[in-house]
Amino acid sequence: MMPSYFVAHGAPLLALEDNSYTRFLKELGGALPRPKAIVIFSAHWESRTQQVSEVEEYSTIYDFGGFSEALYQIKYPAKGNHRVTEKITKAFSQHDVPFEVETTRGLDHGAWVVLRLLYPEADVPVISMSVNPALSPQQQYAIGKSLAALRQEDILIVGSGGTVHNLGAVKLHQDNGQVDNWAVEFDDWLEHQLQHWNLEALFNYKQETPVAELAVPPYGNEHFIPIFYAMGAADDEQSARLAHRSYRYGNLSHSVWQFGE
């Protein structure tokens, strides 16, 4: 049984950096059983109807600006997999999840930065998936749950985002290891709820902790919600393990959670 993961994709510069977090992701890719395919829900692909990619070979999307020219030279030409897309659409149909198949979109940086660190050769098929911030956490969890059977077929399900991701609060010129208390407080709260699989509290995170509005601002919840898709995919086991946690720029969280065994 393949676990599912929530992985923080951080700032695009991670694609060029060598630090404790990038090294962790590289080691994780080497330690996991090699998946037959990866299904990745990216915070940077939002849609009102669930999108499922069916692409022969992905282009690389540079959905950011103002960074080193070297970032725009990176390519991640992963291939899709028609049979896995069919499995996903069949599962969605069986669970009454509305969806559309998308046949042209490339991989945004929420997907390719993470995937390139995990599998740098781009030799594992990828199915890119959108997220919908307008849905309730319960609905997002249910979408992930509908795909749980894929884990039995050695398919890796990943939610890519960030548990603390507030672009209005990050300090891009402060990277000295100091971390804002409110960011740690939210991640500590989240850790406790995840380890107890407390869905009631997690689904009501906005009301459950006073720092939620800072950690998950109303205009930026698309980075937090991939965690519900990844959790839902492991509903049959309901176990969570914090694999990594670190911070950059005062409060940008690099958290990796494993769901299931």
Side-chain angles (χ1 to χ4, degrees), residues 86-99:
E86 278 193 332
K87 290 177 184 292
I88 293 169
T89 58
K90 183 178 179 180
F92 282 163
S93 296
Q94 291 173 339
H95 292 87
D96 297 320
V97 176
F99 68 89

Side-chain angles (χ1 to χ4, degrees), residues 5 24 28 241-245 255-258:
Y5 279 88
F24 168 80
L28 178 63
R241 181 178 71 85
L242 180 61
H244 179 91
R245 189 168 94 179
S255 294
V256 176
W257 278 94
Q258 175 182 315

Side-chain angles (χ1 to χ4, degrees), residues 193-253:
Q193 308 310 324
L194 287 172
Q195 288 181 341
H196 291 84
W197 211 265
N198 187 348
L199 294 181
E200 182 177 359
L202 289 163
F203 290 164
N204 293 285
Y205 68 91
K206 295 177 185 177
Q207 293 77 37
E208 289 287 327
T209 171
V211 294
E213 191 164 350
L214 273 174
V216 188
Y219 56 84
N221 68 327
E222 77 285 343
H223 275 75
F224 183 63
I225 62 173
I227 203 166
F228 294 124
Y229 295 88
M231 285 184 71
D235 178 78
D236 53 345
E237 292 187 78
Q238 298 196 356
S239 67
R241 181 178 71 85
L242 180 61
H244 179 91
R245 189 168 94 179
S246 58
Y247 297 88
R248 299 286 297 279
Y249 314 121
N251 51 62
L252 185 65
S253 176

Side-chain angles (χ1 to χ4, degrees), residues 157-176:
I157 298 175
V158 177
S160 172
T163 58
V164 180
H165 189 278
N166 184 337
L167 293 183
V170 294
K171 306 161 187 174
L172 290 176
H173 301 293
Q174 177 186 310
D175 196 17
N176 57 9

